[in-house]
Amino acid sequence: MIRTGHFGCEDYFGSIVDAISGADTYLVATNFPAYLEAQVAGLRKERSTLAVDPRFDHVVSMIRTGYFGWEDYIGPIVDAISGTDTYLVATDFPAYLEAQAQVNATYLDRAKWTRMSILSTAGMGKFSTDRTIAEYAKDIWGVEACVVPTPEPDLKNGAHAGSSSSSSSSSSSAG
């Protein structure tokens, strides 16, 4: 897993790393997790004068000229990361490329890649949508789960009471 860390995401990514083992992740962020919101705000302010990595400019240019297609669709995203760069994509781009090189090298070691993939997948159970929604419902929304009634079985017809089987209705109308 490649992870980035700015603007308050450290706790979230830290808990994922705890769940799947930090050895199975690749870090992409300057001084992660030491960033404080004030430092991030300072970086965002400096973005207009940042001398970005030439590889970042090259990729942005490729996107703008339609090399990957959909340039009109992706254009607003490119404008955002080229201008204010709220998410500090340009700042982290060299670190991302370094992490991607590590991922590529790991991928070539099939046994290591397989082990890391299995451990990462197994450790992600904590982040299931069922658990997340239940936690939000309880802690954020302050609501309780609704009990969904289970229909009584109709033992005589082998179906649930109140349900009609399409075969029985079609056979009665065919007669």
Side-chain angles (χ1 to χ4, degrees):
M1 160 188 260
I2 294 182
R3 64 190 174 113
T4 61
H6 292 299
F7 40 83
C9 295
E10 292 84 358
D11 291 339
Y12 175 74
F13 287 115
S15 59
I16 290 176
V17 170
D18 291 344
I20 65 172
S21 166
D24 294 329
T25 62
Y26 297 93
L27 175 63
V28 179
T30 313
N31 297 327
F32 181 89
Y35 261 119
L36 300 173
E37 206 50 48
Q39 290 172 309
V40 173
L43 283 170
R44 288 181 181 142
K45 194 178 275 186
E46 294 170 11
R47 175 61 178 96
S48 61
T49 60
L50 174 69
V52 298
D53 188 293
R55 297 170 295 180
F56 178 79
D57 284 336
H58 178 68
V59 170
V60 168
S61 174
M62 291 174 72
I63 294 169
R64 281 191 196 282
T65 60
Y67 183 84
F68 302 104
W70 296 6
E71 63 276 6
D72 54 335
Y73 180 74
I74 300 173
I77 297 169
V78 173
D79 292 342
I81 64 173
S82 300
T84 57
D85 196 14
T86 301
Y87 301 106
L88 303 173
V89 176
T91 303
D92 282 343
F93 195 72
Y96 171 79
L97 293 177
E98 290 168 20
Q100 187 61 55
Q102 292 174 3
V103 169
N104 294 347
T106 301
Y107 184 76
L108 295 175
D109 181 342
R110 299 311 254 178
K112 183 176 182 179
W113 183 263
T114 300
R115 182 190 137 287
M116 289 174 69
S117 298
I118 291 169
L119 291 175
S120 293
T121 302
M124 294 302 287
K126 175 183 178 184
F127 301 96
S128 76
T129 53
D130 291 343
R131 186 209 51 86
T132 304
I133 291 168
E135 188 176 291
Y136 270 56
K138 178 181 169 235
D139 298 340
I140 296 172
W141 303 321
V143 296
E144 294 183 17
C146 171
V147 177
V148 178
T150 305
E152 295 290 326
D154 180 353
L155 300 176
K156 182 178 172 186
N157 295 321
H160 290 293
S163 68
S164 63
S165 130
S166 60
S167 62
S168 64
S169 63
S170 63
S171 61
S172 63
S173 63

